[in-house]
DNA sequence: GAACGTAGCAGAATCGATTCTGCCACGCAA
DNA sequence: TTGCGTGGCAGAATCGATTCTGCTACGTTC
């Protein structure tokens, strides 16, 4: 009978092949042997825990790097009870690929992905989960919830199983919760409105959506405040969250019937802004001379419209990265600054400034 | 049946708080005790391995379900040498959020995410990785590479560390590799061209991109074949992969100068098609009466254009799900059918058929 | 009736990290 | 000199699953 091979120290002559056996990665034990130290010392040296002689530490780090040591995530996780991954849910409600602001969300996820990767953690894309049972099947160390609206089932599910949460924009259902990352929407909206006024507008209308998320709600509120402060009558309409071209055109139509006719429009989303500009082209209404248009969110489509649309860049990659950072701080129980506000910038383009 | 207390007595009055202690999940040992069986038997019963008496098996499954047992992923992974996650890289090259076909990619990732979740595996979003070292920091069980072009560094990196790969569309750099999922692009292109001809077109032009990915290359090739078969002169132009509105308008301009002027355009991407239709509106060229337009990829923007654009729906969610399935089969060494072709459907709309 | 094979299960080893426990040597104070 | 505290490290326990080994009871075959 052949004695069971307890794993030889021999080099695998063919390391490229995804062997049928266990992958022959360098273990902490190998580092310890090569450095002439105990496993515990190597672990302490690499993690900065315990007390290790500086000389010993140096030697261990050198050996580990030479051997190309990478800790086994499962072993570490088993001991520390960490999954080594964060979750991100781009939509907590919509079925299929019906995510609302596609470009924003993809850039958001990209930024979060990079930030997690830098910490050697995985960012996993979670499908919409509604119940505690579903959420319990794949438990990340923490979760980022985007596009969250009132009474969100996903938030409740993760709350119940004790997974730390950070939301993108404040959760309208939990106004006291400070663990969120997003924009200073009131300020951004006012900046946009001020810009429109500075370009000569006198009657500024507003097109938002009927979504109940914080961004949408806050922006509309800020618009009304801004108007009231100036003694202007607000002229606001909303489109359904599907924001189809037709719906946007109809909303625009309602605004154009107003008397006096607005000479500027603050459109909350890129999709609305693009549809509005296109429709104005069809109606032969000159942008920006007869009507200025500004978008509350920037992206390719706004930048490439004809004319290019002035837009507020919310920097979604930064938002994603900040969400990951805040989430780790929450997981680790650190009492850091929150919420985390990402400053937006206004990209002035022809739709408000005319040909440059 | 006795209500078995997993772990020690319940001393956490605030289950929402992420406890500082180890999470109190049910372990296989708890199931074994409650069912009066050995851990090994429970494991065999749950995994369908070894030989377990049907009665015992039944009892164990019942107990496990009652206790809400969910296996610890780290412990399992440590033993089986699996990460329990797949990676997906939406762009192997572009920096930042410059993914090309945003809507397609987000739906692709959504489909893959669901499919992985159903197997209790995580789908992790990987940032663009170019080197073996980068890829070694976070090693998934397998990886899906989308938007792959010739001489792709990401493919090489994962190949070197032995991570199984499935690509979205064939890898133009490895034509013999069959582990890919995608569309039957030649057939789809011909279907679109046939549709244009069936609606009365006689001179069909083509606008593609200069990307070197298989989809782009194959479609252009199919167009030329199709023309040759019919003795028609191909009229094809390309736009840079940025596909800005301006670039698309210029490409269209070149086509309109041709004599005879085309009466139909096959536009490869949704972005091109939308830009073309908009530009035609500006030029007062009637769609579809003077010029029919068809898009090689469907999405919201095509469906909501004015007029709505006939488009080929590539069913990206299905592609993503199939990619996950094929990847698992590759990981498990199964010799299953490959490549996996997802049948596309043609959504006929007004841009070719006129008002319905 | 003895020998043998096998289904079913219990017990223990194992994966590779972190972390607890305890030993040793050394420095300093009494 | 003796005693005590402590830095540094070795050894071993531990996390929770899978899987190997071997025992027992039962049936079958000669």
């Amino acid at each position: 009978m052949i004695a069971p091979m307890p794993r030889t120290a021999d080099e695998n002559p063919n390391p490229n092949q995804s062997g049928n056996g266990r992958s022959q990665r360098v273990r902490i034990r190998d580092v310890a042997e090569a450095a002439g130290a105990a496993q515990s010392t190597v672990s302490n040296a690499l993690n900065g825990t315990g007390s290790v002689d500086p000389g010993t530490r140096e030697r261990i780090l050198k050996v580990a790097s030479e051997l190309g040591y990478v800790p086994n995530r499962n072993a570490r996780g088993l001991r520390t009870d960490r999954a080594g991954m964060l979750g991100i849910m781009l939509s907590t409600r919509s079925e299929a690929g019906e995510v609302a602001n596609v470009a924003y969300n993809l850039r958001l996820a990209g930024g979060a992905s990079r930030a997690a990767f830098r910490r050697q953690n995985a960012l996993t894309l979670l499908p919409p989960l509604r119940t505690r049972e579903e959420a319990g099947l794949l438990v990340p160390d923490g979760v980022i919830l985007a596009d969250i609206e009132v009474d969100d089932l996903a938030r409740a599910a993760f709350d119940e199983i004790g997974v730390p949460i950070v939301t993108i924009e404040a959760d309208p259902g939990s106004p006291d919760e400070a663990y969120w990352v997003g924009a200073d929407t009131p300020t951004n909206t006012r900046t946009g409105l001020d810009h429109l006024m500075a370009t000569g507008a006198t009657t500024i209308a507003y097109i938002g959506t009927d979504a109940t998320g914080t961004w949408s709600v806050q922006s509309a509120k800020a618009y009304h405040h801004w108007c009231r402060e100036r003694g202007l009558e607000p002229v606001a309409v909303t489109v359904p969250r599907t924001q189809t071209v037709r719906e946007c055109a109809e909303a625009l139509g309602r605004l154009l019937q107003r008397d006096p006719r607005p000479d500027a429009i603050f459109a909350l989303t890129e999709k609305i802004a693009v549809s509005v500009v296109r429709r104005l082209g069809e109606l032969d209404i000159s942008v920006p001379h007869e009507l200025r248009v500004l978008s509350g969110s920037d992206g390719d489509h706004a930048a490439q419209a004809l004319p290019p649309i002035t837009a507020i860049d919310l920097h979604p990659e930064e938002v994603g990265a900040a969400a990951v950072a805040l989430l780790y701080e929450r997981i680790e129980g650190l009492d850091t600054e929150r919420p985390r506000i990402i400053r937006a910038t206004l990209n002035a383009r022809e739709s408000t400034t005319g040909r440059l």
Side-chain angles (χ1 to χ4, degrees), chain A:
Chain A
M1 178 174 197
I2 303 167
M5 281 289 193
R7 176 201 289 264
T8 60
D10 293 345
E11 296 280 330
N12 189 335
N14 199 350
N16 278 4
Q17 219 140 23
S18 89
N20 34 10
R22 180 163 279 263
S23 62
Q24 305 245 348
R25 295 254 298 274
V26 178
R27 298 156 301 169
I28 199 172
R29 187 190 308 170
D30 302 321
V31 177
E33 276 176 27
Q39 290 188 35
S40 53
T41 305
V42 174
S43 175
N44 283 324
L46 293 174
N47 297 321
T49 55
S51 61
V52 180
D53 182 85
T56 310
R57 205 177 106 84
E58 200 73 15
R59 181 164 41 95
I60 288 173
L61 290 181
K62 186 157 163 287
V63 170
S65 145
E66 281 172 2
L67 295 181
Y69 170 71
V70 175
N72 180 304
R73 299 165 53 80
N74 282 317
R76 167 178 288 176
L78 176 59
R79 190 66 238 254
T80 59
D81 201 25
R82 282 284 191 91
M85 65 184 195
L86 302 179
I88 187 168
M89 206 180 294
L90 293 181
S91 169
T92 58
R93 172 177 342 85
S94 51
E95 296 299 332
E98 295 175 13
V99 179
N101 300 311
V102 176
Y104 179 90
N105 277 298
L106 200 54
R107 291 172 61 190
L108 174 76
S113 160
R114 276 169 198 283
F117 188 85
R118 273 197 294 273
R119 296 175 181 248
Q120 298 205 34
N121 274 93
L123 183 79
T124 86
L125 210 53
L126 297 174
L129 304 176
R130 297 142 186 284
T131 69
R132 175 188 174 139
E133 284 69 33
E134 283 180 320
L137 292 176
L138 199 61
V139 182
D141 294 326
V143 68
I144 297 171
L145 300 179
D147 200 23
I148 193 167
E149 302 206 7
V150 291
D151 294 332
D152 207 284
L153 293 175
R155 153 152 238 141
F158 281 108
D159 263 341
E160 277 183 49
I161 58 178
V163 174
I165 297 174
V166 162
T167 60
I168 302 302
E169 300 298 336
D171 177 0
S174 319
D176 295 337
E177 175 64 70
Y179 279 103
W180 58 269
V181 176
D184 181 354
T185 303
T187 298
N188 293 343
T189 302
R190 286 160 179 275
T191 301
L193 295 167
D194 288 342
H195 171 83
L196 287 171
M197 200 140 90
T199 61
T202 57
T203 311
I204 304 176
Y206 182 94
I207 307 182
T209 76
D210 65 359
T212 60
T214 298
W215 181 53
S216 170
V217 171
Q218 293 259 56
S219 181
K221 202 177 291 180
Y223 167 75
H224 283 94
H225 273 286
W226 186 89
C227 288
R228 204 177 307 145
E229 283 169 11
R230 286 161 183 73
L232 302 173
E233 189 196 357
V235 185
V237 297
T238 64
V239 297
R241 74 188 63 188
T242 41
Q243 306 174 45
T244 65
V245 170
R246 190 172 308 273
E247 287 160 351
C248 295
E250 282 170 13
L252 174 64
R254 273 176 278 153
L255 292 180
L256 294 179
Q257 288 165 4
R258 293 304 205 96
D259 182 30
R261 194 173 91 174
D263 55 4
I265 292 180
F266 186 108
L268 180 61
T269 71
E270 189 186 5
K271 213 170 172 187
I272 296 173
V274 169
S275 296
V276 162
V277 164
R278 195 187 316 175
R279 179 70 180 148
L280 289 171
E282 290 170 3
L283 298 173
D284 263 331
I285 298 179
S286 160
V287 176
H289 304 103
E290 293 177 76
L291 196 58
R292 296 151 191 82
V293 178
L294 182 145
S295 168
S297 175
D298 202 2
D300 265 12
H301 289 277
Q304 295 176 17
L306 288 174
I309 302 171
T310 295
I312 298 170
D313 189 343
L314 300 170
H315 301 296
E317 286 94 350
E318 282 180 49
V319 173
V324 166
L326 181 57
L327 185 49
Y328 272 111
E329 288 154 18
R330 178 165 206 179
I331 291 168
E332 286 156 16
L334 303 177
D335 186 24
T336 54
E337 182 205 348
R338 57 184 178 272
R340 213 60 66 82
I341 307 295
I342 305 302
R343 191 182 304 276
T345 50
L346 182 77
N347 291 329
R349 303 202 181 94
E350 292 176 31
S351 74
T352 60
T353 61
R355 187 154 290 279
L356 294 174

